[in-house]
Amino acid sequence: MAAKTTQTSKSAKSYDGFTDDEREAMKERAKELKSAKARGKAADGEADLLAKVAEMTDEDRVLAEGIHALVKKVAPDLTAKTWYGMPAYARDGKVVFFFQSAAKFKARYATLGFNDAASLDDGDMWPTAFALTTLTPEVEARIEALIKKATA
């Protein structure tokens, strides 16, 4: 009978319920909070958002830049910031929605996600995240409508 082998890889030893990508996102959030505190609450996080967008892969960057342009057009009153290292848009300090690049968690598509501060309620069940692969005029129109509804 063969002896049992034990896993000796670093990931097996250090697994604590979070992936490396999730731990990195939490570290980014901690940095964001420290940075915001140091700058003061009135500071605009748009420069941080644009810096994160610039770091993205070409495909994700095109999507993030397109969403940012739509936000500026449709809801210029929202505050641009980063949230767990992702571009996000807030009102009164609460994140309304965010863009998660495909590369962020090694997914096959990017995501446009909405938090509970978004007014998307529709009965007893409604979507709060949308897969995003390309920005066509039709997709842009749907995103504009979602942003308008979320910020109504």
Side-chain angles (χ1 to χ4, degrees), residues 76-106:
D77 59 315
L78 293 179
T79 302
K81 61 187 288 176
T82 56
W83 184 65
Y84 291 94
M86 298 177 284
Y89 301 89
R91 175 178 282 149
D92 299 326
K94 294 182 181 181
V95 172
V96 178
F97 62 95
F98 59 92
F99 174 77
Q100 180 179 298
S101 69
K104 181 77 174 169
F105 295 108
K106 300 173 183 73

Side-chain angles (χ1 to χ4, degrees), residues 8-129:
T8 58
S9 72
K10 181 180 178 187
S11 62
K13 285 183 178 180
S14 67
Y15 184 75
D16 63 0
F18 296 104
T19 66
D20 290 342
D21 294 331
E22 290 167 332
R23 279 193 294 279
E24 183 59 33
M26 289 185 282
K27 288 177 186 176
E28 286 181 293
R29 182 65 182 138
K31 286 180 196 174
E32 292 162 1
L33 292 171
K34 287 177 187 175
S35 176
K37 185 177 181 181
R39 288 187 306 212
K41 293 187 180 194
D44 181 14
E46 187 170 18
D48 294 337
L49 180 147
L50 294 174
K52 280 294 178 187
V53 169
E55 295 172 3
M56 293 179 183
T57 64
D58 292 343
E59 297 83 9
D60 287 336
R61 188 173 55 256
V62 167
L63 295 172
E65 288 172 345
I67 289 169
H68 188 66
L70 289 173
V71 172
K72 298 291 258 180
K73 173 183 165 187
V74 177
D77 59 315
L78 293 179
T79 302
K81 61 187 288 176
T82 56
W83 184 65
Y84 291 94
M86 298 177 284
Y89 301 89
R91 175 178 282 149
D92 299 326
K94 294 182 181 181
V95 172
V96 178
F97 62 95
F98 59 92
F99 174 77
Q100 180 179 298
S101 69
K104 181 77 174 169
F105 295 108
K106 300 173 183 73
R108 65 182 179 94
Y109 50 79
T111 305
L112 182 62
F114 293 83
N115 284 347
D116 59 344
S119 302
L120 295 181
D121 304 35
D122 185 18
D124 293 328
M125 184 175 164
W126 56 89
T128 59

Side-chain angles (χ1 to χ4, degrees), residues 136-150:
T136 64
E138 294 80 18
V139 170
E140 287 181 355
R142 286 183 67 192
I143 293 171
E144 281 187 28
L146 283 167
I147 293 171
K148 287 177 184 176
K149 185 173 182 180

